[in-house]
Amino acid sequence: MKKLYINTGGINAIFNNLKDSLNGTLTLENNQYNLAVKSKYANGIISGIALNKQICHIQFDIVFNDDVELSMESFANSPILFTYCFEGTLSHSFGINGERKNIKPNQAGIIRNTSNINSVLCFEGYKKVHFSMICTNTYNLEMAENTTLFSDLNKVFNSKWGNYIHIGQQNLKIAEKLKEFNEVPQKGIVKNLLKNRILESILEIELDQHTYGYAKNIKPIIVIANKQIEELKRISSLNVLDVFSGVSLAGRNYFPRLIKEKYHLSINKSYIQKLVS
């Protein structure tokens, strides 16, 4: 078992920790980190990009040569980690002895840890693992371009106990966005701007499906229900004797059909006859 430790305070610290622990070769160009590892510890690529103070993206495509525990530093302003698995399996626990939860291919895990116990990612040795992670900072938003988005993320993906985790099926739209992210053809600043927008759109989808999506689905039902309730209140306020006073026999015969057509309610004609007699 090999134990690794990384400081989640910034992408530069993360990659330097990984370089030293795995004995890899690190290159940096236009905010793009590329760590090539071919050592006794692992074989593969770990890449990442810092797009602004709020978002960075890290991708593992690697085979570890032993079981690995990757302990990530936790602090009050720890980022939200949106994790998407494509191949292999990774496990997560809060602390070494915490309950382990697996993130399998085509699954997504949302992890946030603001407690005093580190988050731990576990990998099986000699099995390829390929996953992406969007690290989202939700503090110091005064200078953020999309303050509302990150403020909402901070509110939704939070726990009063300090430990938040959700694992579920990967959203197909997000899977398409991640593919688009990896295939951006442009270079330089334009490439970074496009990548930043793609990651923000992924975060918007996550936020939507965990909050507003449910509200959107249920809103039409609530509107219909409220209309029916108001209609019933209006009907119930009518005095039936006043309605039928002076009504002809033809009117009394027509009333049940009108109620049935408009309100889908059946009223017995003999009951109406008793009311007006």
Side-chain angles (χ1 to χ4, degrees), residues 4-156:
L4 307 178
Y5 175 86
I6 60 173
N7 182 327
T8 55
I11 191 170
N12 190 65
I14 290 172
F15 272 89
N16 277 294
N17 289 158
L18 290 171
K19 175 181 74 71
D20 294 339
S21 299
L22 298 175
N23 194 24
T25 302
L26 179 62
T27 57
L28 174 61
E29 183 179 355
N30 194 27
N31 294 326
Q32 175 75 49
Y33 292 78
N34 192 73
L35 178 62
V37 181
K38 191 174 183 181
S39 66
K40 63 180 181 179
Y41 303 117
N43 192 351
I45 299 290
I46 304 173
S47 58
I49 186 169
L51 295 166
N52 54 51
K53 291 183 178 179
Q54 267 61 54
I55 301 179
C56 69
H57 176 268
I58 300 174
Q59 184 163 253
F60 286 71
D61 190 358
I62 198 165
V63 177
F64 291 104
N65 296 335
D66 197 354
D67 292 346
V68 168
E69 287 181 350
L70 177 60
S71 180
M72 299 181 291
E73 182 188 23
S74 173
F75 51 95
N77 292 322
S78 290
I80 308 169
L81 306 177
F82 295 88
T83 308
Y84 307 96
C85 184
F86 309 114
E87 185 178 351
T89 299
L90 60 148
S91 302
H92 173 272
S93 67
F94 294 107
I96 296 295
N97 299 318
E99 178 187 0
R100 287 192 181 184
K101 294 187 177 182
N102 294 328
I103 305 175
K104 299 178 181 179
N106 301 317
Q107 286 189 328
I110 303 172
I111 303 164
R112 190 179 195 183
N113 186 10
T114 57
S115 70
N116 57 2
I117 301 174
N118 285 359
S119 275
V120 181
L121 293 179
C122 301
F123 309 94
E124 290 187 67
Y126 304 102
K127 292 185 179 180
K128 183 178 179 180
V129 63
H130 181 197
F131 67 95
S132 284
M133 185 179 287
I134 302 174
C135 305
T136 308
N137 292 315
T138 57
Y139 62 94
N140 293 335
L141 299 180
E142 295 81 6
M143 302 300 292
E145 293 183 4
N146 199 340
T147 303
T148 301
L149 171 62
F150 296 103
S151 178
D152 288 344
L153 290 168
N154 183 49
K155 293 174 184 176
V156 172

Side-chain angles (χ1 to χ4, degrees), residues 80-271:
I80 308 169
L81 306 177
F82 295 88
T83 308
Y84 307 96
C85 184
F86 309 114
E87 185 178 351
T89 299
L90 60 148
S91 302
H92 173 272
S93 67
F94 294 107
I96 296 295
N97 299 318
E99 178 187 0
R100 287 192 181 184
K101 294 187 177 182
N102 294 328
I103 305 175
K104 299 178 181 179
N106 301 317
Q107 286 189 328
I110 303 172
I111 303 164
R112 190 179 195 183
N113 186 10
T114 57
S115 70
N116 57 2
I117 301 174
N118 285 359
S119 275
V120 181
L121 293 179
C122 301
F123 309 94
E124 290 187 67
Y126 304 102
K127 292 185 179 180
K128 183 178 179 180
V129 63
H130 181 197
F131 67 95
S132 284
M133 185 179 287
I134 302 174
C135 305
T136 308
N137 292 315
T138 57
Y139 62 94
N140 293 335
L141 299 180
E142 295 81 6
M143 302 300 292
E145 293 183 4
N146 199 340
T147 303
T148 301
L149 171 62
F150 296 103
S151 178
D152 288 344
L153 290 168
N154 183 49
K155 293 174 184 176
V156 172
F157 302 107
N158 209 341
S159 167
K160 63 181 180 181
W161 296 283
N163 299 335
Y164 178 97
I165 184 167
H166 171 84
I167 297 174
Q169 285 299 115
Q170 228 176 94
N171 184 300
L172 292 178
K173 289 183 179 179
I174 290 178
E176 292 173 359
K177 290 287 184 182
L178 288 169
K179 183 178 179 181
E180 181 184 345
F181 177 87
N182 287 321
E183 295 176 353
V184 172
Q186 287 82 358
K187 296 182 179 180
I189 295 176
V190 175
K191 181 177 184 177
N192 288 355
L193 289 173
L194 288 172
K195 287 199 166 191
N196 182 72
R197 182 60 200 129
I198 292 170
L199 292 186
E200 283 194 355
S201 68
I202 290 174
L203 297 176
E204 287 167 356
I205 293 171
E206 289 286 14
L207 185 62
D208 185 72
Q209 70 178 3
H210 283 87
T211 52
Y212 308 124
Y214 297 125
K216 287 176 183 176
N217 292 335
I218 201 171
K219 186 175 180 180
I221 300 172
I222 293 174
V223 171
I224 293 171
N226 284 335
K227 285 183 179 179
Q228 291 178 340
I229 290 170
E230 290 302 317
E231 201 68 54
L232 288 171
K233 285 180 179 179
R234 190 180 69 80
I235 295 171
S236 66
S237 67
L238 296 175
N239 188 316
V240 178
L241 293 178
D242 290 342
V243 172
F244 280 102
S245 61
V247 176
S248 65
L249 179 61
R252 296 171 196 167
N253 290 334
Y254 174 69
F255 181 75
R257 180 159 59 87
L258 178 64
I259 290 295
K260 186 173 183 179
E261 289 176 355
K262 188 168 184 178
Y263 302 108
H264 306 288
L265 299 173
S266 297
I267 298 180
N268 192 306
K269 290 183 180 180
S270 62
Y271 177 68

